[in-house]
Amino acid sequence: MTSTLSVPQAAAVAEPDNLAALTRPDFPLLAQTACLGQPLIYLDHAATSQKPRQVLEALQHYYDHDNANVHRGAHQLSARATEGFEGARAKAAAFVGAANPNEIVFTRNASEAINLVARSWGEANLRPGDEVLLTVMEHHSNLVPWQLLADRTGCVLRHAGLTDTGELDLNDLRSKLTQRTRLVSLVQVSNTLGCLNPIAEVAALAHAAGALVLVDACQSLPHLPVNVKQLGADFLVGSSHKLCGPTGMGFLWGREALLEAMPPFLGGGEMIQDVYLDHSTWAGLPHKFEAGTPAIGEAVGMGAALDYLQAIGLDRIHAWEQQLTR
């Protein structure tokens, strides 16, 4: 049986102005003191978030009780490991409003998820002269994979600029959408500027031009509700360690029809259906994109982190952060 993890009880009745005091005890790392004996204050969440005890307990429980390979074992440990692993996929799907868990592909991080789209979708669909529209505020993870793709395919990269106030210049983006634009890939919340981009509006503009939309949601997922249908996205990537979960774990969400049409990203075990000496056939979604033994404990830990954030409430987290910035 999968363990039932505790969630922050006080958070269920907390008002936004009490969230910090109520959730701080959940984070063991914050119990230590910094210089001059003051309580440790951690402000580097945009780089990586701290882990609540609920996530640490989930990791410990998995390795203490369920550690085994997933999907292929007939014994009870494998069954429990598979239940926890696929349960985390279902939690990630619900967290972003996916149509079903098969639209969630586990990766090592968001960088790998973007590389997956660039390699698999990009190489299959882009030709010389086709355009990928980015913005100048993108993290390196949403620049370099497309630069490498441009080198391989001859596609052209364009970049929307910023306004004088450091926000996305929608007029510039609109002017750079052309009949050659095949994909618009941009961040929802900038890790450097902190601005919240109007993804739904960008998606409507992109789709009207015949382009797809990829959203880097690493910095938005832990801070406000994110729903792929409401955003109008075609792909969305996230990273566990920005969500109070373990490092080495991330995910790609993609519309099922797009994922079905894309070739595999990596080859190996698990992503195959039948293997012969001279050819192979591929497993169904999402396993077609998940070669080799996955990060099982990390997936379980990410599932616990998503439970933790959901228990507090993304609307209330967003309200608390708005209060802090006023």
Side-chain angles (χ1 to χ4, degrees):
M1 297 294 291
T2 301
S3 65
T4 301
L5 298 171
S6 60
V7 295
Q9 298 297 317
V13 296
E15 294 300 324
D17 59 339
N18 291 326
L19 278 183
L22 287 165
T23 57
R24 184 179 175 94
D26 288 331
F27 293 82
L29 181 139
L30 298 180
Q32 62 187 295
T33 56
C35 58
L36 303 179
Q38 298 298 312
L40 177 66
I41 303 296
Y42 181 82
L43 297 176
D44 203 18
H45 299 284
T48 199
S49 56
Q50 295 305 325
K51 323 308 175 199
R53 57 180 173 78
Q54 289 84 350
V55 170
L56 302 176
E57 289 169 2
L59 287 167
Q60 187 70 41
H61 184 276
Y62 168 76
Y63 285 112
D64 281 346
H65 298 280
D66 303 331
N67 183 41
N69 215 329
V70 293
H71 301 139
R72 62 195 72 170
H75 54 90
Q76 63 175 341
L77 295 185
S78 179
R80 292 205 302 262
T82 300
E83 180 183 357
F85 182 74
E86 293 301 333
R89 194 190 307 277
K91 292 174 184 178
F95 198 80
V96 300
N100 66 69
N102 287 343
E103 293 183 327
I104 297 292
V105 177
F106 284 148
T107 59
R108 290 183 302 163
N109 42 54
S111 297
E112 185 175 272
I114 295 173
N115 275 275
L116 190 162
V117 176
R119 279 280 184 178
S120 181
W121 178 86
E123 291 187 2
N125 290 280
L126 297 185
R127 301 292 177 265
D130 287 344
E131 295 178 359
V132 175
L133 179 56
L134 311 170
T135 81
V136 298
M137 71 174 71
E138 298 309 310
H139 189 277
H140 298 160
S141 298
N142 201 26
L143 291 174
V144 179
W146 307 113
Q147 293 169 356
L148 295 172
L149 179 67
D151 290 341
R152 294 193 302 270
T153 66
C155 70
V156 177
L157 305 185
R158 308 192 76 190
H159 301 84
L162 305 178
T163 65
D164 292 340
T165 57
E167 298 173 292
L168 177 64
D169 189 335
L170 267 179
N171 289 329
D172 188 44
L173 183 142
R174 188 180 289 108
S175 72
K176 288 175 178 171
L177 276 168
T178 75
Q179 62 181 1
R180 300 306 303 270
T181 308
R182 298 291 179 260
L183 178 75
V184 178
S185 186
L186 78 166
V187 69
Q188 185 173 18
V189 171
S190 168
N191 69 304
T192 53
L193 302 173
C195 58
L196 175 63
N197 287 328
I199 298 297
E201 187 173 355
V202 171
L205 292 170
H207 291 156
L212 300 179
V213 176
L214 184 150
V215 179
D216 175 356
C218 285
Q219 301 294 348
S220 55
L221 286 169
H223 298 289
L224 71 161
V226 173
N227 184 290
V228 293
K229 299 185 187 70
Q230 293 173 3
L231 293 178
D234 300 290
F235 300 106
L236 181 140
V237 303
S239 193
S240 166
H241 76 102
K242 303 293 179 70
L243 287 157
C244 299
T247 56
M249 187 69 203
F251 66 88
L252 163 70
W253 167 83
R255 286 198 289 111
E256 186 170 5
L258 289 172
L259 295 176
E260 287 282 10
M262 288 161 53
F265 173 46
L266 300 171
E270 191 68 21
M271 51 75 66
I272 39 80
Q273 178 173 321
D274 297 302
V275 178
Y276 306 90
L277 291 179
D278 58 351
H279 71 282
S280 300
T281 59
W282 315 132
L285 292 179
H287 307 296
K288 176 174 71 171
F289 297 107
E290 297 178 0
T293 299
I296 305 166
E298 286 77 3
V300 171
M302 183 178 73
L306 298 179
D307 285 342
Y308 181 82
L309 294 175
Q310 293 280 44
I312 297 172
L314 273 297
D315 285 318
R316 295 170 64 208
I317 292 172
H318 187 50
W320 164 244
E321 293 178 357
Q322 287 180 313
Q323 179 174 312
L324 287 176
T325 59
R326 279 199 294 268

